[in-house]
Amino acid sequence: MDVTAATPTNASEPAWPWVRWFTPLRCRLILIALITFGFVSHLHYLRNDCPIDLSGDEAQYWEWSRQLDLSYYSKGPLVAYIIRASTSVFGHDMWAVRLPAIVLASVTSLLTYWLTLRLFRSDRLALGAVLLNHLVPMFVAGSMLMTIDPPYFLCWGLATAFLALAALDNKPWAWAGVGVALGLGTLAKYGMLLWPFGMLIFLWVDRRRSGVNRLKTAGPWVAIGVGLLFLIPPIVWNAKHDWVTFKHVGTQTGVAKQKKLFDGNLPELVGGQIAAVGVALVPFIVGGIVVAWRRQKPKDEGARGVLTSVSMPDALDNDRESRAIALLMWMGLPLFALCVVMSVRSKMQVNWPAAAYFSWMILAAWFIATRLATRARWRQWWRGLFWGTVAFGVAFMPIAHDMSLAYPLMAKFGIEPRRLDLTVKMKGWAQLGRRLGRELKNPAMNEPFVLCEDYMQTAETAFYTPGNPITYCAGPYLLDPKRHTQFDIWPERRLDRDQLKGRDAIYVGYLDDEKARDGALITGNLRKAFDTIEELPEEPVVQRGLQVRRFKLYRCTNFKGMKMAGGASY
């Protein structure tokens, strides 16, 4: 029997009778069409006048992919190997670097559909969960940027899916899948190490409903053990490099350095989450979490039977449904809670809790379906909020792909683009690369090389300068302390080598802030390293008639060498 087309068993009619048109076959055909269209359109977007260049992180990971290793300064090696696989086939082009992100996003959509269907036995709900993800600004951007997040997000989802098979469907073999997904995710981002905490809490809570305390079985512990085995390469690498990753992660999270108790960015983190997910969607996520929390106790019947009122499986056991939504809640809660707590002390990035939303978006889709099927007095309010979510997502989608579309409106109100456009830092790098290519061809210069103020500039200029030359990061040599990066690990990128002495350079950075401490230090230390420094005409970046940023360039002659500053910041 087609359970998704079952006749409602109570007096309530579906909030939208036309949803009956969405049979399982039609839902799956729509899914295929949606993923195919998304892949093709995003690939076309990247290959045809894409308004954004590689981000600093993307360029850095591309640099890593040129020198494959067991691990790297701040992250595991997975992202470098993925980019290397793509660029080895398609070349060192921007779209080739980002192609894996599109592929991984497509696979994640398929996984979202499969897991939702497995948990709730409804193709309609599964399709709704996928569509909901396509309305989230953070996911729209993340589906095109090849950072550590796409593979990390997918691995988080895979581990959750295998856990559902192991714990809800009693498939013992799935524990091995949990371990492999956990291990691969750790090689993408060390935040994956927080995933097992959600699993262990869920299994502890679930023992009352399942009747089995799986924490006393081998499965979960074998999964964790398998996952930890994947850390052997990074540990071996760190043992050879003074444990820099441990120091870096400790510094970033505020664990390894003395700071003021309240020195974080809690308001910014919370506000960033609301903006990244969408204001209208937040109540659905919160509502799903609240219901899941209330229905954890076996005696709590909660919203029993609500699924049947939207033509979802009337035979679905309410106990399994409660276990399913509890799993979805717990697989995101520890990560999100830790980021919020840590943001009181340290600065947390907006994308750090992103993996929590893999399961929470499915929970939100479930919550929307149940609310729209409840009593009539609730429907109007929830419907309005739902359509607000849809309207926000659809309206934001073009701007998410090209923020310059809003530039004319910004100009009308006298707003500088860099104040609202989060993609400003991804603009102008290709233009700068072409300029550097021309400067390096100057016959008056002696074997010129590119020298940059920070590691992101160093990676960007290496990617976009014709011929992808070796570029150098001067930051830790100019300031003390200055955060170290992978460029300080590679011997051939060090600036204290005799092979660079006597050569000229084009410096990308700022030297015009003599009064500021950093500006004075940079200026003084850089001038000591060269005979002469000549300021070149700056490179303005203009889009839709507005200057969005500028690059400062300097011609430097006769490099004398530089010594690493005494202090080290991680």
Side-chain angles (χ1 to χ4, degrees):
M1 182 181 74
D2 180 7
V3 293
T4 62
T7 303
T9 58
N10 60 19
S12 297
E13 288 296 320
W16 298 319
W18 47 264
V19 299
R20 295 193 183 95
W21 181 86
F22 291 92
T23 63
L25 177 60
R26 287 170 176 163
C27 287
R28 295 174 191 184
L29 290 175
I30 292 173
L31 174 70
I32 295 172
L34 178 67
I35 292 177
T36 302
F37 174 77
F39 181 88
V40 173
S41 61
H42 280 148
L43 185 59
H44 180 270
Y45 167 81
L46 294 178
R47 298 194 65 177
N48 293 271
D49 299 323
C50 180
I52 55 174
D53 298 322
L54 291 182
S55 67
D57 282 335
E58 289 177 295
Q60 177 186 210
Y61 302 145
W62 167 81
E63 273 283 28
W64 294 2
S65 75
R66 295 208 287 177
Q67 300 187 54
L68 296 180
D69 207 337
L70 293 177
S71 190
Y72 296 92
Y73 180 88
S74 58
K75 306 291 188 303
L78 185 60
V79 65
Y81 281 81
I82 292 174
I83 293 175
R84 177 65 171 267
S86 180
T87 55
S88 295
V89 176
F90 301 106
H92 295 284
D93 293 316
M94 178 270 287
W95 72 268
V97 173
R98 286 176 170 163
L99 177 62
I102 307 176
V103 175
L104 292 169
S106 299
V107 176
T108 301
S109 292
L110 288 171
L111 179 64
T112 299
Y113 191 99
W114 180 89
L115 179 58
T116 308
L117 179 61
R118 189 85 184 186
L119 293 177
F120 301 110
R121 304 172 192 171
S122 169
D123 283 85
R124 295 170 185 165
L125 181 52
L127 180 61
V130 174
L131 290 172
L132 206 60
N133 276 282
H134 282 72
L135 297 176
V136 177
M138 177 169 56
F139 295 162
V140 173
S143 65
M144 295 179 294
L145 304 182
M146 189 53 216
T147 63
I148 56 174
D149 287 330
Y152 166 59
F153 197 80
L154 176 59
C155 289
W156 190 284
L158 282 171
T160 303
F162 280 119
L163 175 61
L165 288 174
L168 300 183
D169 294 338
N170 299 312
K171 306 288 186 183
W173 59 265
W175 291 115
V178 171
V180 173
L182 173 62
L184 287 173
T186 303
L187 294 182
K189 189 172 184 177
Y190 294 119
M192 190 76 192
L193 292 172
L194 296 174
W195 184 92
F197 290 96
M199 177 187 73
L200 295 176
I201 295 173
F202 166 72
L203 293 178
W204 172 255
V205 174
D206 187 60
R207 77 193 190 285
R208 295 175 293 181
R209 283 192 176 274
S210 66
V212 178
N213 187 352
R214 288 186 171 80
L215 294 178
K216 294 184 178 181
T217 65
W221 308 108
V222 169
I224 293 176
V226 170
L228 292 178
L229 288 176
F230 283 74
L231 284 174
I232 293 176
I235 290 175
V236 171
W237 185 89
N238 270 273
K240 297 178 180 179
H241 296 89
D242 195 30
W243 306 100
V244 293
T245 303
F246 291 81
K247 297 175 181 178
H248 170 75
V249 173
T251 300
Q252 290 293 298
T253 57
V255 174
K257 60 181 179 180
Q258 296 296 323
K259 300 183 65 176
K260 297 179 182 178
L261 181 59
F262 302 103
D263 196 28
N265 63 334
L266 177 59
E268 291 85 351
L269 178 68
V270 174
Q273 298 308 299
I274 295 174
V277 175
V279 177
L281 190 56
V282 171
F284 294 121
I285 296 176
V286 174
I289 293 173
V290 170
V291 173
W293 184 276
R294 292 178 56 192
R295 289 180 59 175
Q296 289 183 104
K297 296 181 180 179
K299 292 183 180 180
D300 184 7
E301 296 299 321
R304 186 171 193 142
V306 293
L307 287 179
T308 60
S309 65
V310 286
S311 300
M312 291 186 222
D314 56 332
L316 181 61
D317 181 77
N318 186 65
D319 190 65
R320 175 187 164 85
E321 177 188 303
S322 296
R323 294 175 65 202
I325 61 175
L327 182 146
L328 294 174
M329 176 188 69
W330 282 114
M331 297 325 298
L333 200 54
L335 171 64
F336 190 89
L338 183 62
C339 287
V340 170
V341 171
M342 294 297 293
S343 70
V344 175
R345 174 177 169 83
S346 302
K347 297 187 183 301
M348 299 285 111
Q349 300 299 321
V350 173
N351 65 312
W352 285 5
Y357 295 108
F358 173 82
S359 57
W360 284 3
M361 292 304 296
I362 298 175
L363 186 59
W366 172 86
F367 183 76
I368 290 172
T370 60
R371 294 306 95 184
L372 292 175
T374 53
R375 292 164 294 183
R377 64 190 180 93
W378 285 98
R379 290 181 184 173
Q380 184 175 1
W381 190 88
W382 286 111
R383 283 186 193 179
L385 188 57
F386 173 78
W387 285 116
T389 302
V390 174
F392 175 82
V394 172
F396 186 81
M397 199 171 296
I399 297 178
H401 287 82
D402 187 359
M403 282 291 292
S404 69
L405 293 173
Y407 284 1
L409 185 62
M410 294 182 194
K412 184 177 180 180
F413 290 95
I415 301 175
E416 295 183 15
R418 60 186 177 85
R419 292 188 176 182
L420 295 180
D421 185 0
L422 300 179
T423 67
V424 160
K425 291 184 178 180
M426 290 186 279
K427 295 180 178 181
W429 293 109
Q431 177 182 330
L432 174 63
R434 292 190 293 269
R435 168 72 181 276
L436 288 172
R438 295 192 298 271
E439 296 291 345
L440 293 175
K441 290 181 180 180
N442 186 339
M445 298 190 72
N446 178 34
E447 298 182 77
F449 61 93
V450 176
L451 185 65
C452 299
E453 182 178 337
D454 65 44
Y455 72 98
M456 288 192 177
Q457 293 172 339
T458 306
E460 295 276 16
T461 53
F463 184 84
Y464 283 107
T465 301
N468 304 125
I470 297 296
T471 55
Y472 299 86
C473 179
Y477 297 83
L478 298 175
L479 292 176
D480 181 14
K482 176 72 172 178
R483 176 192 163 182
H484 287 194
T485 66
Q486 184 64 34
F487 291 102
D488 304 306
I489 300 295
W490 288 322
E492 67 276 13
R493 296 298 183 96
R494 294 186 63 88
L495 294 172
D496 54 5
R497 298 183 303 120
D498 291 337
Q499 292 88 336
L500 291 175
K501 291 182 178 179
R503 296 175 59 181
D504 298 338
I506 300 296
Y507 176 74
V508 179
Y510 286 87
L511 291 180
D512 55 359
D513 190 3
E514 296 280 358
K515 294 182 180 180
R517 172 188 173 275
D518 287 355
L521 286 174
I522 290 175
T523 301
N525 290 331
L526 192 66
R527 293 192 184 281
K528 293 177 183 177
F530 292 93
D531 282 347
T532 63
I533 296 179
E534 174 191 357
E535 183 174 356
L536 299 173
E538 65 182 31
E539 188 69 22
V541 179
V542 178
Q543 288 191 351
R544 298 184 184 272
L546 294 179
Q547 179 174 310
V548 296
R549 67 183 311 189
R550 61 175 182 164
F551 294 104
K552 302 283 288 185
L553 293 89
Y554 300 83
R555 183 183 294 122
C556 310
T557 62
N558 191 22
F559 183 59
K560 302 174 184 179
M562 298 177 111
K563 291 184 179 181
M564 184 77 70
S569 175
Y570 297 94

